[in-house]
Amino acid sequence: MPRIASRVSQLNGEGALAVYSRAKELERAGRSIIHLELGEPDFHPAAPVVDAVRAAVAAGRDRYVSTRGIPALREAIAEYLKRTRRLQATAEQVLVAPGCKMALSLAMMALIEPGDEVLYPDPGFPIYPSFTRGLGAAAVAFGLEERNGFQPDLDEIAAKITPRTTALIFNSPNNPTGTVFNAKAIRKIAELAEKHDLWILSDEIYARILFNGEYESIWSLPGMAERTIIIDGFSKSFAMTGWRLGYAVAPKHVVDAMDLLVLNTFTCAAEFTQVAAIEALLDTTDAVDAMVEEYRKRRDLFVAGLNDIPGFRCQPPGGAFYAWVNIEETGLAAEEVAKLLLEDAGVAGIAGAAFGAGGKNYLRFSLVSARNLLEEALERMLRVSSRWRAAVAR
Ligand code: PLP
């Protein structure tokens, strides 16, 4: 039989989808399930964005367009980043792709060679090590540990850089921990990148979902615009997951390289979604702030409730929409707790190992259900906690 290319065997999937399938199966059997497993907002795009996509289709904006994205959207992205992140980038440094993940994989294909070493956060988005390995490179984890407030250990990162290291990927706010990398961490990472001539892939998809202060992008630090690729998109900030629209901001010669990859693969992102995305960036109804305010209320309610469950411990996330819960004191494996919660309590969350070895004793819950459902989930979990309560009391 003809063979499948070996790179595919290096890839892994995403844990959330397996839990989602089982949760759906239970629902079909008549069970009530509260879905806290997927990282998909329960909001939809603001009304002007929906109107804009309708108008764009009606106006025939459904053609092949520029491989790097329509100029008006690239201008709007540069303008938006200036307004919301005080970031100086020009439209020619922007490349539009169908989803943040596609922007990430184009950047990785453009920059990573077989045999390279790539640093990535553990726990973190599972695609970083997976796609790194798929490109024939070695994925080298750096830890985000609870005892450091889930901030990176900069000495560990420095010690893991070798002559083969070519890139460091990070995601702030982080999925799954919700950590916003602090100013010291970002500066030190920038310093190491300069010293060792590394690319920085800064996945900023949750940059707008921030509960305190202002977002600082590593791109803005002196000298970093030459070696940083920002990955961002519309899925989370604008609740446009299914629209498949993301972008990269990178030095012009990196955009040129990625552009050639676009031409060789998907040609362009859909024109009408790009036209409507300009409306999303303008955010005339302040939909983003309203959504973040709701996530903040959910976070406060849910994290407080989680900390009242015997054996659970959760630090409030600084951003993104996840609660990352240490379950070590239950005396059970995270997979067992997740199974009990799903099968007996009807609450779907993900065992943390799906995000790397550092997630072994954790569960991730997404704050993508309404507050009344989160309250119900907490009550259900508290009831089921009787199974491990004795272990906690010991
Ligand atoms: N990056 C991170 C850290 C994510 O958590 C996700 C989605 O869960 C993505 C990228 C994917 O974004 P998109 O849906 O735009 O491809």
Side-chain angles (χ1 to χ4, degrees), residues 99-101 125 128 171 175 203 205-206 235-236 244 322:
C100 174
K101 253 183 184 168
F125 191 46
Y128 306 146
N171 168 224
N175 171 13
D203 183 343
I205 192 159
Y206 298 104
S235 298
K236 316 287 178 173
R244 307 314 302 135
Y322 304 105

Side-chain angles (χ1 to χ4, degrees), residues 327-382:
I327 54 80
E328 210 170 352
E329 286 185 14
T330 62
L332 302 175
E335 286 70 18
E336 263 178 280
V337 179
K339 189 162 180 232
L340 271 174
L341 294 180
L342 178 59
E343 305 285 333
D344 296 5
V347 177
I350 305 177
F355 303 94
K360 182 170 156 269
N361 292 320
Y362 293 83
L363 295 179
R364 190 197 78 172
F365 297 106
S366 303
L367 305 176
V368 291
S369 288
R371 275 176 274 160
N372 63 323
L373 287 172
L374 293 176
E375 279 169 348
E376 167 80 22
L378 288 168
E379 280 168 27
R380 292 183 184 191
M381 291 196 279
L382 194 59

Side-chain angles (χ1 to χ4, degrees), residues 124-389:
F125 191 46
I127 300 307
Y128 306 146
S130 171
F131 206 70
T132 297
R133 288 192 308 270
L135 292 171
V140 179
F142 62 87
L144 300 180
E145 294 185 24
E146 191 171 346
R147 63 187 165 90
N148 299 329
F150 300 111
Q151 292 290 332
D153 174 340
L154 302 157
D155 293 333
E156 182 199 352
I157 294 181
K160 286 184 168 167
I161 296 174
T162 76
R164 287 176 178 270
T165 310
T166 50
L168 182 148
I169 307 179
F170 75 99
N171 168 224
S172 171
N174 180 261
N175 171 13
T177 61
T179 320
V180 181
F181 281 30
N182 60 29
K184 182 174 153 228
I186 291 180
R187 276 160 184 73
K188 181 70 185 176
I189 289 172
E191 203 180 286
L192 290 169
E194 293 246 58
K195 182 172 168 198
H196 299 280
D197 198 19
L198 309 180
W199 291 111
I200 295 293
L201 284 118
S202 179
D203 183 343
E204 303 187 2
I205 192 159
Y206 298 104
R208 293 298 305 281
I209 306 173
L210 200 69
F211 301 122
N212 301 301
E214 237 180 78
Y215 190 80
E216 185 181 36
S217 172
I218 195 165
W219 171 285
S220 304
L221 299 184
M224 290 308 288
E226 291 161 30
R227 57 178 69 255
T228 301
I229 294 86
I230 293 175
I231 305 294
D232 201 341
F234 295 82
S235 298
K236 316 287 178 173
S237 309
F238 301 100
M240 289 163 65
T241 47
W243 290 49
R244 307 314 302 135
L245 211 52
Y247 54 87
V249 184
K252 166 82 168 44
H253 67 293
V254 177
V255 169
D256 292 342
M258 292 170 69
D259 188 36
L260 199 53
L261 290 164
V262 173
L263 188 66
N264 275 268
T265 50
F266 57 84
T267 305
C268 62
E271 184 182 14
F272 43 89
T273 53
Q274 293 193 56
V275 172
I278 298 169
E279 188 64 40
L281 295 172
L282 294 174
D283 192 17
T284 51
T285 57
D286 292 327
V288 179
D289 285 349
M291 211 161 58
V292 174
E293 205 34 50
E294 177 58 27
Y295 285 135
R296 179 199 305 281
K297 288 180 180 151
R298 292 177 183 180
R299 173 197 70 157
D300 291 348
L301 175 157
F302 200 61
V303 170
L306 285 168
N307 283 313
D308 285 339
I309 295 175
F312 281 15
R313 183 172 77 225
C314 180
Q315 292 186 8
F321 45 56
Y322 304 105
W324 184 240
V325 191
N326 185 311
I327 54 80
E328 210 170 352
E329 286 185 14
T330 62
L332 302 175
E335 286 70 18
E336 263 178 280
V337 179
K339 189 162 180 232
L340 271 174
L341 294 180
L342 178 59
E343 305 285 333
D344 296 5
V347 177
I350 305 177
F355 303 94
K360 182 170 156 269
N361 292 320
Y362 293 83
L363 295 179
R364 190 197 78 172
F365 297 106
S366 303
L367 305 176
V368 291
S369 288
R371 275 176 274 160
N372 63 323
L373 287 172
L374 293 176
E375 279 169 348
E376 167 80 22
L378 288 168
E379 280 168 27
R380 292 183 184 191
M381 291 196 279
L382 194 59
R383 276 201 296 277
V384 168
S385 70
S386 61
R387 307 283 187 85
W388 59 76
R389 195 166 304 205

